[in-house]
Amino acid sequence: MSTETPATTGTADGTALTEAARGAALALGDDALVLSHRLGEWAGHAPVLEEEVALANVALDLLGQARLLLSLVGDEDELAYLREERAFRNLQLVEQPNGDFARTIARQLYFSTYQRLLYAALAAGGGPFAPIAAKAVKEVAYHQDHAEQWTLRLGDGTAESHRRMHDGLAALWRFTGEMFQPVEGLDVDWRALEADWLASVASVVERATLSLPEGPRTGAWAAGAGRQGLHTEPFGRMLAEMQHLHRSHPGATW
């Protein structure tokens, strides 16, 4: 089965994308798609009903972003359900298992802060991603606020919630460095983006009576591994689950 993406791609106004822009759209789309699936795994398992609805809404926002971005590259369904693991270009951070609720919030704090800053830069800079980024940044601002509020509640809550929030932030810290490795096709000041991210996250963590984890901010491989198609072990299992129905009934329609 072929996993190559279609060659005919472009923006809504018919402008053809460069090969670099197609790669960037794939990377950003995969980030949103994979995290959307991870958050969707909370359905029926969230600590309270209100939070189940909130996480589902965040997941749907991300899925909408993924569809728009992947459609710039090719057929969104084929890209989501028929590619092999090594063809995905998402960050390793977003593929990490949910763990407990605090770990999910730590992942969301790290990623939504990054995503809001990135989309704001893309929206202001023009180019093929500006329209999508301008719309998405409003959604992501809510995602970030949601993660920040829970970080504060858990960090400055009970001794147990404080411990769990601390552990969640520490467990995912090594995956955060990859977010700031330059992506070809995105005209962004990555160093400034990283500095703003660190300042924003540090402020929230400090207010939550916690501290930023220590240690390197790279994973088991060189930073940028997820963008190169190198993923962590949990991703393969998640992908098999996500693609199972489509692969079991190829060509089926509703």
Side-chain angles (χ1 to χ4, degrees):
M1 179 181 297
S2 172
T3 58
E4 294 181 358
T5 56
T8 303
T9 58
T11 59
D13 63 4
T15 304
L17 291 179
T18 65
E19 190 64 26
R22 291 177 71 245
L26 196 63
L28 299 182
D30 285 349
D31 285 345
L33 175 67
V34 171
L35 186 54
S36 173
H37 186 84
R38 279 300 190 205
L39 291 174
E41 293 174 343
W42 275 105
H45 302 284
V48 293
L49 181 59
E50 182 181 8
E51 191 55 27
E52 183 161 314
V53 173
L55 291 174
N57 284 333
V58 175
L60 287 172
D61 286 344
L62 290 167
L63 184 60
Q65 295 168 22
R67 293 189 63 189
L68 290 172
L69 288 160
L70 294 180
S71 68
L72 295 177
V73 182
D75 183 280
E76 63 194 66
D77 289 331
E78 290 185 9
L79 289 167
Y81 299 123
L82 297 180
R83 278 183 295 159
E84 302 295 337
E85 178 179 332
R86 289 293 298 270
F88 279 78
R89 294 294 181 262
N90 58 278
L91 297 164
Q92 289 184 354
L93 173 66
V94 298
E95 69 194 38
Q96 297 310 303
N98 290 325
D100 64 16
F101 183 66
R103 182 162 174 156
T104 289
I105 292 301
R107 184 185 62 199
Q108 198 63 39
L109 176 69
Y110 287 156
F111 181 74
S112 61
T113 303
Y114 152 81
Q115 197 183 37
R116 182 187 63 79
L117 291 168
L118 176 61
Y119 280 172
L122 292 175
F129 301 110
I132 294 176
K135 176 180 182 296
V137 75
K138 300 173 185 177
E139 299 171 340
V140 176
Y142 162 74
H143 303 173
Q144 182 182 356
D145 181 68
H146 177 261
E148 288 182 354
Q149 294 306 313
W150 270 110
T151 300
L152 295 173
R153 291 175 67 180
L154 295 172
D156 196 22
T158 66
E160 178 65 11
S161 70
H162 180 94
R163 180 189 67 81
R164 287 175 179 255
M165 195 68 234
H166 169 273
D167 290 351
L169 292 168
L172 297 171
W173 183 247
R174 67 191 182 97
F175 297 105
T176 60
E178 184 183 10
M179 294 188 292
F180 306 103
Q181 295 299 307
V183 176
E184 187 179 2
L186 298 181
D187 186 14
V188 175
D189 185 339
W190 294 98
R191 288 188 177 181
L193 192 73
E194 182 173 17
D196 290 344
W197 179 87
L198 278 169
S200 180
V201 170
S203 175
V204 176
V205 169
E206 182 178 353
R207 285 185 285 132
T209 69
L210 296 159
S211 57
L212 288 180
E214 298 179 355
R217 292 173 43 237
T218 56
W221 298 293
R227 296 291 192 226
Q228 299 165 22
L230 300 175
H231 299 283
T232 55
E233 184 177 350
F235 181 63
R237 296 192 295 271
M238 190 218 80
L239 192 61
E241 179 183 88
M242 188 178 80
Q243 296 182 336
H244 172 72
L245 183 62
H246 188 93
R247 288 180 178 269
S248 297
H249 304 279
T253 58
W254 290 100

